[in-house]
Each structure stands twice: as C-alpha cells, then as structure tokens.
Amino acid sequence: MYSKEQVVALQKRTKELIEANHTEKAFEIIEQLRDILRFHEYRYYVLNDPLISDAEYDQLYKLLEKIEHSHPELITTTSPTQRVGSSLNAAFKTVPHLVPMLSLENSYNADDLIDWDRKAREVAKKDELEYCIEPKFDGASISLIYENDHLVRGATRGNGVEGDDVTTNMKQVRSIPLHAAFSEYGVHTVEIRGEVMMSKKAFKAFNEQLAEQNLPPLANPRNAASGSLRMKDPKEVARRRLEAFLYNISYHTTTGEAVDKKKDALLHTHAGNLQMLWNVGFRSPMNEMKVVKGIQAVIDYCNEYESKRDDLPFEIDGMVIKVNDLALQDAMGMTTHHPRWAIAYKFKARQATSKLRNVEFQVGRTGSITPVAKIDPVFIGGVTVGSISLFNEDVIKEKDLMIGDTVLVERAGDVIPYIVKSLAEVRDGSETNIQFPTKCPACESELYREEGEAVWRCVNIECPAQVVERMIHFVSKDAMDIRSFGEANIRKFYELGLLKDIPGIYQLDCTRIGSLPGFGKKSIDNIQAAIEASKQQTLNRLIFALGIRYVGETTAKVLANTVDHLLDLKNYSEEQLQSLEDIGVKVAKSIHTFFSNEQNIEMLHQLESLGVQMNNTKRTAPVAGGLSGQTFLFTGTLNKLKRTQAEEMVEQQGGKLLGSVSSKLNYLVVGEDAGSKLEKAKKINTVKIISEDEFLQLIGG
Ligand code: IVH
C-alpha cells in the first residue's frame, strides 16, 4: 500500500511534526497530518507493525484535534478524528459482532482483587460469591458463530463492535471444530469468544524456520497469532499450527426442543458453559479453570498459576476471574467499558526500560553479520538481560535505534529478549547513529548483501570467526552433541592454536590440553569420551552439524533418509535434490554448492578416516506389502504395547502417524479410556476404528 520511499518520507515528516508540535499554518499541514495519522494507523492495526510509540501517535492525534477545534471549517468526514475505534483490514469483509467485544477491568495485586470482590458483592447483594478462575490467554481475540451446529463465521476483535471476517483462516485452526453439536444442548445460534494462540513450542519451531531463511524472528507468540489471522493465504495459516482456546459464550438462541436436565444445567453457569464447549469439541480451559468460593481462594489460585507460568505450553499474561452464576452476571451488567462480573488479574510485566550503550557486530558460521545491542543490564522475568540480538540492519532502521537511546525491552516466557522500540520522545540530543560496518569485524573482508536478503555477509570462508562458529555448531547439543566440549573450550583451543578446523576436533592433542590450567585428568577423559562417542552419531545429526546454509534439522533428516552414505550426496543434481520432500530451489542450490566444493569433500574424507560414521545405519526399508500409504493415530492406554513401540511398528512398515483425527486418518487404534479423539473419529465415516488386538493382527504381530 505504501512504497518504501513513501514510508521513509512519511516517517521523516512524522518526526518533524512531533518535534515542531505546533498549530501554526494549520491550512498547510492539516491534510499532511491526517495522511500521517492514517499511515500510522495502517501500520498499527493492519500490518501489526507500528513505527512510532503510542505516545507519539497520541501527540499527533491531539495536535490534529487541536487544529480542528480552532478551525472547525477544516473538519472532513474522512479525518482520523471522525472515526470511532480502529481501522480494519481492507482485505477482509467487515462484520458486526452479535454482542460488542468489551475488554476487562485490570487488577495487579491481592488488594485490587479484595476491593473488586467487595464491590461485586455489593452489586450482587451477596455475602459471598462463587467465582470461576481461568488463565488470561495472551493471543489474538476471536469470535466464532455457529448456527445449526455449523461454524458459519469467524471474526477478529477489530474495534470491538465490528471485526474482520476471517472465517477461512479460522478454519485452518485445528482446534476449532467446523461442526459442534450445540443442538444437543438446545442451542441454535451461538457466538463464542476465545483466543487464537501459538504454543511456545510451535513459536520456537516457526522462528527456527525463519532463522534458517535468515529472516528476523517474530517477537512473541501473540504477534505470531494475530499476524497469522490476517494472512491472505490460508495454507500459510495452516502451516503456523495455531490453536484456539474458547472461554466465553456471549450470545445464544435456543432451538425450543426439550433438553435433558443435566445438559440444560450447563447453560446456567460459566463453568458449565466451559464444560459444554469442551463436550462439543472445543479446547475450552476445562483443565486449567477452577471454581471457588470467596476472594482468598481466588488470590491463592492466581499465585499458584503465576509461579508455574513458565512451565505452561502457551503464554498467559494473567488470570480472569468471572462470577460463575450466569443469571447473576446478567443482573450485575456492564459499564460502557467492561462487565462488572469479571476482572483480569495481570501478572508482573516482563518489560523494562534500559539504555542502549553500544552495538557489537558478530560473525556467524555462515558469515552473517548480526548486530547485537549491549544494554545496561536489566532484570526481567527472572533473568538479567544485557545483550539483545538485533538480527540485521533493517531492524535497526525500522526501530530507529540510536546509541544512547532509552529502549523498551521485553522478555516473554522462554522467548529470547527483544527490543520493542526506542523511546524517541525522551532523547536529549546526545544520541549517536549506529554505524553498520562495511568490512568484516573479524577478518576485514568486504561485506556482501545478496539481493532480496536482509543480511550482510563476510564471504571469506576462511574467516577465523566463521571457522570458530562452525566448530561451535558442530559440537552443539542438536548436532554432534559433544558435551563437555562446548563453546568456551573451542574458543580457547582455537586461540592457543590447538584446534584449527572441524577434523581437528578428532585429532586433539590431549597431552597438551592436560597441561593447561583447569584441565585435570577427569575433564580430559570426559572430553575424549564425548569425542569418541560422537563418531557414531546418526547421519542426520552429522549432516546438520556441517552447517550447510538452509539445512536445518528437518532437511538434514530428509537427506539422511535419502542416501546410504553421506558422500552419495555428491552425485545429486540440484533437480534431484529439489524432488526430495520439502527441499526448494534455494535449499537445493545450497546443498549442491556444498557438495561441489573440493575443500568440503576433502574435509569429509578426513572425518571419515578419523572414524566418523558416514553410513546410514538407521534407515529401514519399508516392508513390501506393509502399511505404506496408510495413516494411524493411537488414543487411550494400550495394554500389550507401549505407545512408542506401536508407533515405531507403524513407521517401520511404511505407515505414517498423524497428530489428530481428520478425514486423512485411516486407522484410529483405541486403547482404554479413549476420549475426544474417539468421539471425533466416530463422526468421520472413512476412519476405521480398531482395537489394539486388531492392530496387532493388521501388522502381522
Ligand atoms: S473474558 C466480556 N476470558 O483479554 C468479557 N477474556 O483484557 C470477555 N482474554 O478482550 C472476555 N483470556 O481478548 C476472557 N479467559 C479469558 C481470557 C480473555 C484472554 C482476553 C480477551 C479480552 C481481553 C481483556
């Protein structure tokens, strides 16, 4: 929508207007000011990628209001001041919510909760209230409508009154059922609220994929989820493995049919609603919620959850406390901003401000130059943060960072810390620009930036920094896993001239190392044993350890499964490589380049002669007439086999394992106490539901 030049010009003018902050020559600047505000709204609401702080935006907005106030004749219907709420993504249809999506009042400590409880009891005219407490999911809010048991619409929060219709994208979220048997509960139309999330694990995997492509990572799972919902390609949405927690029914109509008493009871409490949602196939917070009486029990549960926050598979930023009785909720009603029957309890923030003191430039194993911000150490969420990766030059420019800036730093859970933004409004003029180097800081070679890439690289493969980084990667946990070796030792041995390249790891002069201070017999024995054991590592680890560009763990597995010996890869053309699973043009080219390089082949020969295993020892040929092409999923407890054993059997016979029930599933093997997967499978005619014995017969065991 905006060209790069326009963005630069608008951003420049933004800064000028913020600095000038005057209303003179109103005629001249008013339209420009509006354009600038529209641009920043677009960045914020549509792209989810603001270029200025909220405070800066507010300053400009107020400036416009002020000008319009003194010159009402200049007000236009399209002025940003004439719009209520936020802008919406033009790529999606705007749809009204059946009930406005309000936000919640916030509380931050036990006293806040005690105060709120007192007020709530007054309004409800009760001595004690029953509450349902559940996590406050830190994702992107959504609203779903089901009619006659079918998902008919999914929308984003938008401005709370209207949202973007993102039904197609919502359908890619596996935990959102397309069909849910609300009619069994006498419900005809229902609007449900919830949160789309990316689990910490999926987020980490996604960022690793981005890193393999040298793209900057996403800041946190919340941004990943909200960005994903607005994507134009539903297939890309599916790839992001989103999840949805549904936690509120905001509206429903009934079918008028008689419903059994037990089911009907679920319609009268919040916990009952969660149970019904769970029963019809949603991921409601059934396992996470608790119903309690009185505020002390609420405070205890909030504390308990805060202490286990880091161990949860997904991000939460607090707890939500709701009055459990729905009739009472109705009686208590709403203010214009939030319901009186609910409150959010926010956990301690994981943001802090600090000073940006310096930016260092590190050389990676592929020669990539990564700027790393050095900040005054700050304590956030249990750790002290002093260094923060800035990924590439564009990030520095986009965030408009300067040395001496006050920066806002965030660390969410086990996510790596990142700089949210600089607080440009508190600059005092002493700040200096960050100079990106033109030469490699380690070897002085010229830097090179490939077209379409954000990363500058040192092209000298002999560059000492690269050599060291390649060795560090080689021994790392997910690669050859030579524990007790580690980064510090590699750096030390390299500096002392005891280690110069990867094959050198297998030729270490342990007598000399033994004479170094701090290296006793025990540590030398440990190092030697770990090096020896690594010679038998699986082929996929060895391939990953080589640090071929774009070859992450997944691609390494694909390559390892393709060949009998590592050096067979020498004979693969780019086209042949591209025919392998998940290997595209760029990756194929990189692998081909690696195996066409004489020096690399020489290194591999050397490694082999030093005893490193290069044969594929783990590969098992699929059994003819086995389970090839068939998909399996296990549910419940198996009696005769361990789950992992059974899964291995399927894979050994060429079958594939699936993670959830869908029309792609051929067999659901059902053990004892099978739950929702079985219920789901029963609804899909093509899924064969078999017992453990039937499974054993099928595989001929
Ligand atoms: S209830 C009318 N429950 O937090 C009340 N909201 O800060 C409806 N949120 O807009 C909201 N987890 O997007 C509720 N368990 C939970 C929640 C939750 C996250 C979000 C929701 C809401 C925002 C308010």
Side-chain angles (χ1 to χ4, degrees):
M1 182 160 155
Y2 290 93
S3 72
K4 217 168 172 166
E5 286 75 9
Q6 280 172 311
V7 172
V8 173
L10 283 163
Q11 185 68 351
K12 185 165 169 261
R13 189 69 183 126
T14 304
K15 299 280 161 191
E16 287 166 5
L17 286 172
I18 288 170
E19 267 156 37
N21 195 20
H22 56 60
T23 51
E24 285 154 27
K25 301 194 199 160
F27 279 87
E28 279 168 42
I29 68 161
I30 195 162
E31 229 0 86
Q32 225 178 48
L33 190 52
R34 285 179 185 138
D35 279 342
I36 280 166
L37 283 165
R38 287 184 194 112
F39 165 65
H40 290 296
E41 284 175 354
Y42 173 78
R43 296 289 309 197
Y44 185 92
Y45 292 112
V46 183
L47 300 186
N48 236 330
D49 187 14
L51 289 179
I52 53 172
S53 67
D54 293 358
E56 285 172 323
Y57 175 87
D58 286 346
Q59 188 187 329
L60 291 177
Y61 189 88
K62 285 198 186 113
L63 179 61
L64 176 61
E65 270 183 337
K66 206 160 132 194
I67 301 173
E68 287 182 346
H69 185 74
S70 42
H71 298 275
E73 75 283 6
L74 296 181
I75 298 178
T76 60
T77 51
T78 58
S79 172
T81 56
Q82 305 303 301
R83 187 214 303 267
V84 276
S86 68
S87 124
L88 298 156
N89 191 325
F92 298 100
K93 202 169 84 192
T94 304
V95 285
H97 296 302
L98 301 186
V99 174
M101 287 174 88
L102 297 185
S103 73
L104 294 171
E105 188 183 345
N106 285 327
S107 66
Y108 300 92
N109 53 46
D111 287 347
D112 291 349
L113 284 175
I114 292 168
D115 266 2
W116 175 75
D117 170 63
R118 190 180 31 79
K119 277 187 268 163
R121 282 186 289 115
E122 266 170 33
V123 178
K125 301 191 182 72
K126 297 249 178 206
D127 291 338
E128 186 177 66
L129 286 170
E130 184 176 74
Y131 294 118
C132 182
I133 320 159
E134 64 207 32
K136 184 168 182 323
F137 299 100
D138 197 6
S141 320
I142 54 160
S143 128
L144 303 174
I145 299 178
Y146 285 75
E147 261 170 28
N148 280 325
D149 295 343
H150 285 84
L151 172 65
V152 292
R153 199 187 80 185
T156 62
R157 181 177 189 281
N159 58 19
V161 176
E162 295 176 318
D164 291 331
D165 183 335
V166 289
T167 313
T168 317
N169 284 351
M170 250 19 136
K171 286 183 177 170
Q172 314 307 317
V173 181
R174 296 295 177 90
S175 47
I176 296 180
L178 301 184
H179 177 275
F182 285 108
S183 53
E184 287 179 14
Y185 295 80
V187 170
H188 179 270
T189 300
V190 58
E191 186 181 47
I192 315 164
R193 296 284 151 80
E195 211 84 358
V196 164
M197 315 269 294
M198 196 183 261
S199 72
K200 291 178 188 168
K201 199 169 147 207
F203 175 70
K204 194 162 167 256
F206 186 70
N207 266 352
E208 276 164 12
Q209 278 174 21
L210 291 177
E212 273 176 28
Q213 298 167 48
N214 282 311
L215 295 170
L218 299 177
N220 52 40
R222 181 192 345 113
N223 286 10
S226 63
S228 304
L229 281 186
R230 294 145 183 263
M231 300 197 68
K232 301 217 179 72
D233 178 4
K235 282 201 221 85
E236 182 54 36
V237 180
R239 249 174 253 136
R240 295 194 170 192
R241 296 165 180 273
L242 300 172
E243 293 175 41
F245 283 88
L246 279 301
Y247 47 67
N248 232 70
I249 292 181
S250 50
Y251 171 86
H252 78 276
T253 62
T254 52
T255 54
E257 303 280 322
V259 178
D260 96 35
K261 258 196 178 149
K262 266 195 183 155
K263 285 187 170 158
D264 183 64
L266 298 184
L267 293 174
H268 301 289
T269 62
H270 176 69
N273 280 188
L274 296 182
Q275 181 69 59
M276 172 175 74
L277 288 171
W278 182 268
N279 292 353
V280 298
F282 291 89
R283 178 94 161 84
S284 73
M286 261 329 277
N287 300 325
E288 293 82 8
M289 67 89 157
K290 187 170 183 181
V291 177
V292 301
K293 285 205 166 72
I295 203 67
Q296 189 52 48
V298 168
I299 295 166
D300 292 345
Y301 197 58
C302 289
N303 288 338
E304 181 188 325
Y305 246 85
E306 183 155 14
S307 66
K308 63 181 185 192
R309 178 181 186 184
D310 281 343
D311 304 327
L312 300 175
F314 40 81
E315 290 290 347
I316 65 173
D317 59 346
M319 302 298 282
V320 180
I321 299 104
K322 298 171 185 171
V323 168
N324 196 30
D325 180 336
L326 297 183
L328 198 51
Q329 281 191 4
D330 274 349
M332 293 173 79
M334 317 254 184
T335 70
T336 44
H337 299 111
H338 53 254
R340 289 196 190 90
W341 42 264
I343 191 161
Y345 174 79
K346 302 272 274 189
F347 292 156
K348 277 169 210 76
R350 283 165 163 191
Q351 284 194 340
T353 54
S354 180
K355 276 259 175 210
L356 175 57
R357 294 294 176 195
N358 191 16
V359 174
E360 289 179 2
F361 295 89
Q362 292 180 355
V363 188
R365 65 187 154 86
T366 58
S368 54
I369 308 291
T370 306
V372 178
K374 297 287 170 183
I375 59 165
D376 285 346
V378 276
F379 193 68
I380 320 174
V383 297
T384 303
V385 180
S387 292
I388 302 179
S389 172
L390 297 172
F391 305 103
N392 59 46
E393 192 184 13
D394 294 351
V395 172
I396 297 178
K397 286 188 182 148
E398 271 162 27
K399 298 205 165 158
D400 178 32
L401 297 179
M402 293 179 86
I403 308 279
D405 265 350
T406 302
V407 286
L408 184 62
V409 179
E410 183 169 310
R411 182 186 159 268
D414 52 4
V415 176
I416 51 168
Y418 72 103
I419 291 186
V420 182
K421 61 184 175 190
S422 65
L423 305 182
E425 60 269 40
V426 298
R427 281 184 184 152
D428 64 7
S430 66
E431 298 77 13
T432 52
N433 284 327
I434 298 165
Q435 295 296 339
F436 208 90
T438 52
K439 291 201 160 79
C440 172
C443 72
E444 299 270 300
S445 304
E446 286 293 322
L447 298 183
Y448 168 78
R449 180 164 159 158
E450 249 172 63
E451 217 184 290
E453 277 220 7
V455 176
W456 287 95
R457 280 175 202 285
C458 161
V459 286
N460 169 20
I461 55 164
E462 309 273 323
C463 166
Q466 285 186 50
V467 172
V468 169
E469 292 301 327
R470 279 201 291 269
M471 289 194 283
I472 292 170
H473 173 70
F474 189 85
V475 303
S476 66
K477 193 166 139 281
D478 296 329
M480 295 301 264
D481 192 18
I482 313 187
R483 292 178 196 201
S484 69
F485 208 140
E487 176 170 349
N489 284 341
I490 296 233
R491 291 195 190 283
K492 186 180 277 167
F493 300 162
Y494 184 82
E495 272 164 29
L496 294 171
L498 294 169
L499 180 63
K500 63 175 194 345
D501 54 15
I502 289 173
I505 294 170
Y506 295 96
Q507 299 165 303
L508 268 191
D509 182 346
C510 287
T511 340
R512 276 192 65 192
I513 291 177
S515 65
L516 298 176
F519 285 90
K521 177 162 176 357
K522 200 159 171 233
S523 60
I524 301 282
D525 285 351
N526 282 344
I527 292 180
Q528 266 181 318
I531 293 175
E532 205 45 44
S534 78
K535 292 180 180 172
Q536 301 304 324
Q537 275 297 15
T538 49
L539 187 55
N540 55 302
R541 277 178 173 267
L542 176 60
I543 296 176
F544 175 60
L546 294 174
I548 305 167
R549 238 171 110 186
Y550 308 126
V551 177
E553 286 173 89
T554 319
T555 311
K557 276 188 191 147
V558 172
L559 292 174
N561 273 328
T562 306
V563 292
D564 292 323
H565 188 279
L566 177 58
L567 285 164
D568 294 352
L569 284 171
K570 240 175 33 175
N571 308 323
Y572 276 71
S573 66
E574 277 183 42
E575 290 71 31
Q576 282 169 317
L577 288 166
Q578 274 179 50
S579 69
L580 302 176
E581 199 182 333
D582 285 339
I583 296 189
V585 181
K586 206 155 98 173
V587 185
K589 189 163 181 230
S590 166
I591 300 167
H592 189 257
T593 311
F594 183 91
F595 285 96
S596 312
N597 178 310
E598 282 298 320
Q599 269 171 306
N600 290 338
I601 299 299
E602 173 53 32
M603 173 184 73
L604 295 179
H605 281 305
Q606 239 181 313
L607 283 176
E608 192 169 32
S609 67
L610 289 163
V612 177
Q613 177 64 254
M614 291 196 181
N615 287 309
N616 189 350
T617 49
K618 284 272 164 77
R619 193 150 63 109
T620 42
V623 177
L627 305 179
S628 171
Q630 303 291 322
T631 56
F632 286 78
L633 176 66
F634 294 85
T635 183
T637 318
L638 303 182
N639 283 324
K640 298 185 175 150
L641 298 168
K642 274 198 194 148
R643 175 79 68 96
T644 45
Q645 254 180 331
E647 290 177 347
E648 257 172 37
M649 286 169 154
V650 169
E651 284 188 326
Q652 273 172 5
Q653 299 214 11
K656 230 177 145 181
L657 296 162
L658 295 188
S660 61
V661 178
S662 72
S663 57
K664 289 195 191 119
L665 184 66
N666 300 120
Y667 293 96
L668 180 75
V669 185
V670 181
E672 268 173 33
D673 297 326
S676 59
K677 285 187 183 139
L678 176 59
E679 292 310 310
K680 229 172 172 178
K682 281 184 188 160
K683 292 181 193 147
I684 307 176
N685 291 336
T686 51
V687 179
K688 296 186 201 76
I689 300 172
I690 60 170
S691 67
E692 186 178 359
D693 284 335
E694 284 168 320
F695 168 72
L696 282 166
Q697 271 174 13
L698 184 74
I699 60 163

